[in-house]
Amino acid sequence: KITLQDEVVTSAHAKSMGGSQVFLEEGEKQTVDTLLKCILVASGNDASVAMAEYIGGSEEAFVQKMNERAAALGMENTHFVDCCGLTDSDEHYTTPRDIAIMSRELLLNFPQVEQYTTIWMEDITHVTAKGSSAFGLTNTNKLLRSYDGCIGVKTGFTDSARRTLVSCAERDGVRLIAVTLNAPNDWSDHAKMLDYGFEKVTLCEMKYDSSALSLSVVGSEKETVGVECGAVKLPLCNEQKDKITAEIYMPKFIYAGLAAGEKVGEIHYLLNGNTIATAPLQTAESCVQKERKTDFFTVIYKFIAGLLTR
């Protein structure tokens, strides 16, 4: 509903935020793009509140949306009372697992976020009644510079939560997320956790042998058509590779008129009975409609009809 070019006006409430901030002035306008940098690079609490008010109408309304979204994602042990984590309250809480769920959703469905979480340093420009001035944003995630393949995600600190960190790194097509709360040595902890994960997880190509698969075709010269299945790459722990099973979902027949490569079903890859990936099943060749033959009397009828209309 909004674009990166939309301008957001800073309210007095947003300006009043403490903790990490980018020192927005009341009435100052910044684009959504700039505010995302302020939030994801510099942990700007004032920028977070400005964005919350722009999207939700008020911080309170936006926080309600946060809690609704968290519940929909299955974050069963999370409850927000503000949009930036400053409130010291027993009603404001989360867990490492829930943070991992949230981070996974963000990275999977909004890959453009990496353009922000991987920024190391960048300047923004404040334009207020006092004039124009530059302000430097510096990323506090040291893993971006010290851990190979790191693409984010976010640091955090409050007096009650202490040092908190969610990181993500990618190597050889495998992405792993690590989360720690109240970890004094989080930089080294995350490096060790990610190293452990990359030793255990590899990207495996799953390709079902579909040579024996075919579908009956109604209304075609061909009675059946072959079915093809593309490969799927899955990040799997070493001990999981031989435990993957496959289930085929196809109709009993299809109608003629399909071109080669059209989807006619799905293959589901399962681990411990749970679907972890799907791939389309497609026609290996076209199946054109059977040509209709015209009988002798139809030919004579059309000929006479043509004479009468001249």
Side-chain angles (χ1 to χ4, degrees):
K1 296 181 180 179
I2 64 177
T3 71
L4 293 176
Q5 290 70 45
D6 284 6
E7 287 191 331
V8 179
V9 181
T10 304
S11 69
H13 174 56
K15 179 188 183 305
S16 69
M17 291 297 108
S20 299
Q21 53 187 307
V22 293
F23 302 101
L24 298 172
E25 292 291 335
E26 183 180 355
E28 179 179 346
K29 295 180 180 179
Q30 293 287 0
T31 64
V32 169
D33 178 63
T34 297
L35 290 178
L36 285 174
K37 293 175 184 177
C38 295
I39 295 167
L40 291 163
V41 177
S43 302
N45 295 316
D46 45 358
S48 296
V49 173
M51 279 291 294
E53 292 175 335
Y54 183 66
I55 296 170
S58 67
E59 183 182 8
E60 292 76 18
F62 184 79
V63 170
Q64 182 178 344
K65 292 179 181 291
M66 290 172 69
N67 286 314
E68 291 171 357
R69 186 71 174 124
L73 290 175
M75 296 166 60
E76 298 177 353
N77 298 292
T78 294
H79 185 263
F80 301 108
V81 297
D82 66 32
C83 69
C84 55
L86 284 177
T87 304
D88 187 5
S89 167
D90 291 340
E91 294 302 310
H92 191 87
Y93 56 85
T94 189
T95 64
R97 179 176 178 81
D98 282 0
I99 291 175
I101 291 172
M102 177 173 59
S103 302
R104 180 179 184 271
E105 177 74 9
L106 179 69
L107 293 165
L108 276 178
N109 294 319
F110 303 94
Q112 63 269 35
V113 76
E114 294 172 39
Q115 299 172 16
Y116 301 97
T117 58
T118 52
I119 293 173
W120 181 245
M121 296 181 71
E122 187 167 322
D123 287 344
I124 66 167
T125 302
H126 289 297
V127 180
T128 67
K130 301 176 183 178
S132 178
S133 62
F135 182 83
L137 306 177
T138 302
N139 205 315
T140 53
N141 185 0
K142 294 181 180 179
L143 292 175
L144 288 173
R145 290 293 185 93
S146 64
Y147 193 84
D148 183 33
C150 181
I151 58 172
V153 179
K154 197 71 198 71
T155 60
F157 181 90
T158 64
D159 290 338
S160 56
R162 312 307 292 173
R163 294 179 65 90
T164 62
L165 177 64
V166 51
S167 65
C168 179
E170 180 175 0
R171 292 182 184 174
D172 299 322
V174 174
R175 283 191 175 186
L176 298 176
I177 293 172
V179 183
T180 53
L181 304 182
N182 191 16
N185 301 310
D186 48 10
W187 305 126
S188 59
D189 290 341
H190 279 242
K192 292 175 183 177
M193 291 163 67
L194 292 169
D195 283 345
Y196 174 84
F198 285 124
E199 288 179 3
K200 295 289 184 179
V201 180
T202 54
L203 197 64
C204 303
E205 183 173 274
M206 311 295 295
K207 186 169 176 61
Y208 186 83
D209 184 5
S210 58
S211 58
L213 293 179
S214 63
L215 274 172
S216 298
V217 185
V218 176
S220 174
E221 296 287 350
K222 301 174 183 178
E223 293 184 355
T224 61
V225 65
V227 175
E228 292 179 335
C229 177
V232 173
K233 292 184 178 181
L234 300 174
L236 297 171
C237 295
N238 298 330
E239 62 271 17
Q240 294 174 331
K241 296 176 183 178
D242 298 327
K243 298 180 180 179
I244 303 297
T245 59
E247 291 182 355
I248 301 296
Y249 294 87
M250 290 195 308
K252 293 183 178 180
F253 62 87
I254 58 174
Y255 290 99
L258 295 180
E262 293 204 41
K263 182 179 177 180
V264 290
E266 278 189 343
I267 179 171
H268 289 205
Y269 293 101
L270 295 88
L271 178 64
N272 299 325
N274 299 314
T275 299
I276 58 173
T278 62
L281 295 171
Q282 302 168 321
T283 50
E285 54 190 334
S286 61
C287 45
V288 298
Q289 290 183 335
K290 185 186 298 184
E291 185 178 344
R292 295 182 179 179
K293 296 181 179 180
T294 306
D295 58 52
F296 175 75
F297 294 103
T298 301
V299 173
I300 295 299
Y301 172 80
K302 289 184 177 179
F303 175 73
I304 295 174
L307 292 176
L308 295 176
T309 55
R310 289 180 181 178

